[in-house]
Amino acid sequence: MDFLDPRKRRLHNIRLMVGYGLVAIAIGLTSIILVYGANGYGINTKTGELIQNGLLFVDSKPAGASIYLNGQLQSDTTSARLVLPAGNYDLAIKKSGYRDWNRKFTLNEQSIARYIYTFLFPTKLTNQNLKVYSSEPQIVTQSPDKHWLLALVPSADPKNIVFDMYDTGKLDQSPAQLVLPAALLSGSTPGRSLSAVEWANDNNHLLLKHSYQGGEEFIIFNRADPAASMNVSRVFGVSASKMSLRNKKIDQLYVFRQEDNSLSLGDVGKATLQPLLTGVLAYRSYGSDLLSYVSSQKVAVGQVMARIWENGKTYPLYTFAAGSKYLLDAAEFQGHWYYVAGSDSADRINIYKDPLSGIKDPTTAKAIPLIALPDSGVGSLAFSDNARFIGAQAGQKFGVYDIETQSRYQYTLAAPISGEMRWMDGHRLVGLSGDSLLVMDYDATNQQVLLPSISGDSVFFDKNYHQLLSLVAVDGGVALQRTDLRAGVDLPR
């Protein structure tokens, strides 16, 4: 029998050892390949050389767009994950019926590049007038969830305060008309004006500022039940220069009086005011117990100090030149708080990361700037919708800081800009250039001239960014216009 034959048993054992050895070698090679692959290494199939790779993530709105790298069509479409050798690349995203999106980038060894925010605009824009008004509406504003759009109907009778309310998900329907009770407004009607301050996070209530001959007052307009709207200036029995919602709710408001530079907290239900701060020149509120503000107290003449108020305690942030306009903002991004402070006269705008941690630390007892945007004459400053970018504008000059990549961009636009550019979303700016809307990425790439408009402030989108809403001059007045941002196969059938 074979298993009793010593020679055959020896050959069998040899075969087993050889087999085990080959398996071990295969496992070892596979492990090495996996480890190298995980660390970004690959093999050049033409030369056999070991190379280091990086990862590229690409997505687009709309999806299903073609990806070109250095002019070569890739087999994947958006959304895609590509393993690429380190190097310089020209990326192009293309889809039939849409304008191309392009970007140059460098992919380093074992690095990741993410271009998942690409937005493709149609080559041909299709417009439809929703309604023609006799003149530009004094107010056009959108709820935070982008569901509701309110337009104040121009009227020859200043006592007649009517809003058109559009459902952005049902733009084929006529707007509902909402009447603001005239009894809520004080003062004489000539010269009266209304402006939108901010929405509550319930998407139902809108804080309005009413300016009239002899004063200013604030109204909380209830779009779901206009009769339940209230004059909060009367509730508190005070004349205020500014009011804002505490924590984006209507039960409490911050009340600022410029005549004595005081800031109080008003409780609507109790009709009471609680003093908070004095010597306030400007302020911004965040959440329920957090403020940043500017004060001229305890600083040299011609200087002001930005401070942070948290739960009743005040902390110094940054001293800079006094100005006619103060730029304050703060936002949370990836678990960290970022603050921005400056003025239109300061030589820089400072950006801080978690400044309260440094201020409260007894070893430092001060906030250290993360970075500065060295631009004087800044007129506007804001975080992008996703809080990743901080943008500052001084006329044609822009400074943008990318928190995620810790990159700073400074550029001057050649195209004439009318007024302020605003964040369209988390990555793009939109505004008026000449008589048309201009959209561009945060670093001024992919500039797109869209369509004529009379206002860069009154530009809105539905929640899916399928529809653009803007104001345009037409025969007989001003039209609220819808523009479909879909094309080709993406159009509804």
Side-chain angles (χ1 to χ4, degrees), residues 127-341:
N127 308 316
Q128 177 191 359
N129 292 340
L130 296 177
K131 185 173 180 176
V132 176
Y133 296 96
S134 58
S135 60
E136 181 179 353
Q138 205 170 79
I139 295 176
V140 184
T141 182
Q142 189 174 31
S143 60
D145 63 358
K146 300 185 181 298
H147 191 164
W148 307 105
L149 186 79
L150 298 184
L152 181 60
V153 179
S155 174
D157 181 3
K159 295 182 179 180
N160 187 30
I161 309 297
V162 179
F163 286 92
D164 280 338
M165 182 174 70
Y166 296 85
D167 184 335
T168 62
K170 301 175 182 178
L171 290 173
D172 292 331
Q173 298 181 1
S174 298
Q177 291 209 317
L178 311 177
V179 179
L180 176 68
L184 290 179
L185 304 182
S186 305
S188 58
T189 54
R192 165 180 292 172
S193 67
L194 284 169
S195 57
V197 179
E198 65 175 320
W199 283 82
N201 57 12
D202 62 5
N203 299 293
N204 287 329
H205 294 91
L206 172 63
L207 181 63
L208 299 169
K209 182 177 182 179
H210 173 222
S211 300
Y212 58 95
Q213 291 182 357
E216 297 172 327
E217 62 187 356
F218 292 84
I219 312 294
I220 292 180
F221 178 62
N222 187 336
R223 66 147 198 94
D225 183 7
S229 303
M230 71 178 92
N231 184 320
V232 285
S233 293
R234 293 179 188 170
V235 170
F236 298 132
V238 66
S239 175
S241 308
K242 178 180 176 180
M243 288 192 187
S244 59
L245 304 177
R246 182 192 184 196
N247 204 23
K248 296 294 183 179
K249 297 179 181 179
I250 64 166
D251 56 339
Q252 293 184 326
L253 292 90
Y254 292 106
V255 179
F256 174 61
R257 289 168 49 87
Q258 192 171 27
E259 61 187 44
D260 60 4
N261 299 123
S262 66
L263 184 66
S264 303
L265 180 63
D267 188 302
V268 175
K270 298 177 181 178
T272 59
L273 285 174
Q274 173 192 349
L276 293 181
L277 295 166
T278 59
V280 176
L281 301 176
Y283 79 94
R284 291 289 300 269
S285 64
Y286 321 98
S288 58
D289 291 297
L290 192 63
L291 298 165
S292 61
Y293 71 100
V294 174
S295 173
S296 59
Q297 294 179 335
K298 299 180 181 180
V299 293
V301 176
Q303 299 285 300
V304 294
M305 178 180 284
R307 304 174 186 266
I308 299 175
W309 181 91
E310 182 190 45
N311 294 319
K313 294 184 178 180
T314 298
Y315 304 93
L317 180 63
Y318 169 44
T319 300
F320 50 91
S324 59
K325 184 174 184 178
Y326 295 105
L327 305 158
L328 291 170
D329 211 348
E332 189 176 13
F333 181 73
Q334 294 182 347
H336 297 278
W337 274 93
Y338 294 84
Y339 285 75
V340 193

